[in-house]
Amino acid sequence: MNIGEVAEQTGLPAKTIRYYEDIGLVTPQRGANGYRVFRDTDAHKLTFLGRARALGFSIEHCRELLALWEDRSRASADVRAVALGHLDDIEEKISALAAMRDTLAELVQNCAGDDRPDCPILKGLEGP
Amino acid sequence: MNIGEVAEQTGLPAKTIRYYEDIGLVTPQRGANGYRVFRDTDAHKLTFLGRARALGFSIEHCRELLALWEDRSRASADVRAVALGHLDDIEEKISALAAMRDTLAELVQNCAGDDRPDCPILKGLEGP
DNA sequence: CTTGACCTTCCTGTGACTGGAACCCTTATG
DNA sequence: CATAAGGGTTCCAGTCACAGGAAGGTCAAG
């Protein structure tokens, strides 16, 4: 498989796949013409990476998960630990965003939104 | 005021304040020694920026908000529009994160997390 | 033989800073 | 007066995970 085909198959942009090779996440072979040649295992890896990234795992976490995936003698506890750590991160981000939303929504609700200059949003940003 | 003092007053790191000057958000004067000299209005601006950034507004949105803040003939509708746009962004991010969390939480819940290699999390990342 | 689609590498840019090096200014102290 | 500490200054590099684009090589079809 050339990069275009595997890109279509995995849904990842070719640029991203090249980048993943750069940082050592996949190691496709090379044809006589210099083109990358992807085997099925490479494509599977890339699919795995795409899904892990879609769940918000960082590249480094992806690297760990990939290593665990390839290690047939892994302990599922190790995988779970990585996932739980990431879940905490996600929860924290959600909380932070929800707090922003709540504050901002309150400011917006108090703002008339007309052609007059008086604006509680700007006042709220000025200071308490 | 020197940069250290205004940094303490606003809670922003000095590095950030220099960066804000670089990109034209504040324009402190300079003393004979080359030091930045911040007036009260500069400090107020920086406080405003710090709060807007804390609510997740991008630098470009901050620039807009700052311009509106300084424009005494603004229409509050313009401010509200920026804020509402940002609220939408926040909601979208929250939804995306919540979706990640739900998917990931389900995988985690199905994982024994023991010393055996069998792991639904990895299976879930492989494919549907 | 040419066209057009595909592939290659390399360089730059993104957002919003952060860290660090190398150097200047000010103030207090021995 | 020398010096040391604690400000300040500029500039350069790095972060994260790619994306855009230039310049050029390769391949299959007409």
Side-chain angles (χ1 to χ4, degrees):
Chain A
M1 267 191 291
N2 283 349
I3 198 167
E5 198 179 341
V6 77
E8 197 180 0
Q9 201 181 99
T10 61
L12 295 172
K15 280 268 183 193
T16 298
I17 298 174
R18 290 193 195 100
Y19 173 67
Y20 287 172
E21 185 191 10
D22 256 17
I23 61 174
L25 286 179
V26 276
T27 49
Q29 296 176 316
R30 294 291 179 137
N33 52 12
Y35 285 18
R36 290 168 181 82
V37 176
F38 295 85
R39 290 156 299 180
D40 279 356
T41 57
D42 296 317
H44 292 337
K45 265 197 198 184
L46 287 167
T47 300
F48 181 95
L49 287 169
R51 291 177 172 271
R53 290 287 301 134
L55 287 179
F57 285 102
S58 72
I59 290 285
E60 284 319 301
H61 277 165
C62 286
R63 203 186 294 276
E64 287 181 53
L65 290 172
L66 204 50
L68 289 166
W69 189 49
E70 306 224 276
D71 176 9
R72 292 178 172 263
S73 71
R74 75 208 157 223
S76 69
D78 291 342
V79 182
R80 212 176 118 100
V82 175
L84 276 177
H86 182 46
L87 256 183
D88 276 1
D89 286 357
I90 293 178
E91 294 285 8
E92 261 184 54
K93 280 183 192 169
I94 291 178
S95 299
L97 286 170
M100 287 182 197
R101 179 197 53 196
D102 294 346
T103 303
L104 194 52
E106 199 188 328
L107 293 175
V108 165
Q109 206 155 22
N110 292 331
C111 176
D114 52 21
D115 54 359
R116 286 172 303 170
D118 183 52
C119 180
I121 300 174
L122 294 178
K123 278 186 190 145
L125 290 171
E126 270 178 40
Chain B
M1 267 191 289
N2 283 349
I3 199 167
E5 199 180 340
V6 77
E8 197 180 1
Q9 199 180 100
T10 62
L12 295 172
K15 279 268 185 192
T16 298
I17 296 173
R18 290 195 194 98
Y19 173 66
Y20 287 172
E21 186 191 10
D22 256 19
I23 62 174
L25 287 179
V26 277
T27 48
Q29 297 177 315
R30 294 291 179 137
N33 52 12
Y35 286 16
R36 289 167 182 82
V37 177
F38 294 85
R39 291 155 299 180
D40 278 358
T41 58
D42 296 318
H44 292 338
K45 265 197 198 185
L46 288 167
T47 301
F48 182 94
L49 287 169
R51 291 177 171 272
R53 291 286 303 132
L55 286 180
F57 285 102
S58 73
I59 289 286
E60 283 319 303
H61 277 165
C62 286
R63 204 187 293 276
E64 287 181 54
L65 290 171
L66 204 50
L68 289 167
W69 190 49
E70 307 225 276
D71 176 7
R72 292 179 171 261
S73 72
R74 77 212 155 220
S76 68
D78 292 342
V79 182
R80 210 177 119 101
V82 175
L84 275 177
H86 182 46
L87 256 183
D88 276 1
D89 287 358
I90 293 178
E91 294 285 7
E92 261 185 53
K93 282 185 192 168
I94 290 178
S95 299
L97 285 170
M100 288 181 196
R101 179 198 51 197
D102 294 347
T103 303
L104 194 52
E106 199 189 328
L107 293 176
V108 165
Q109 205 155 23
N110 292 331
C111 176
D114 54 21
D115 54 359
R116 287 172 302 171
D118 184 51
C119 180
I121 300 173
L122 295 178
K123 278 185 191 147
L125 290 170
E126 271 177 38

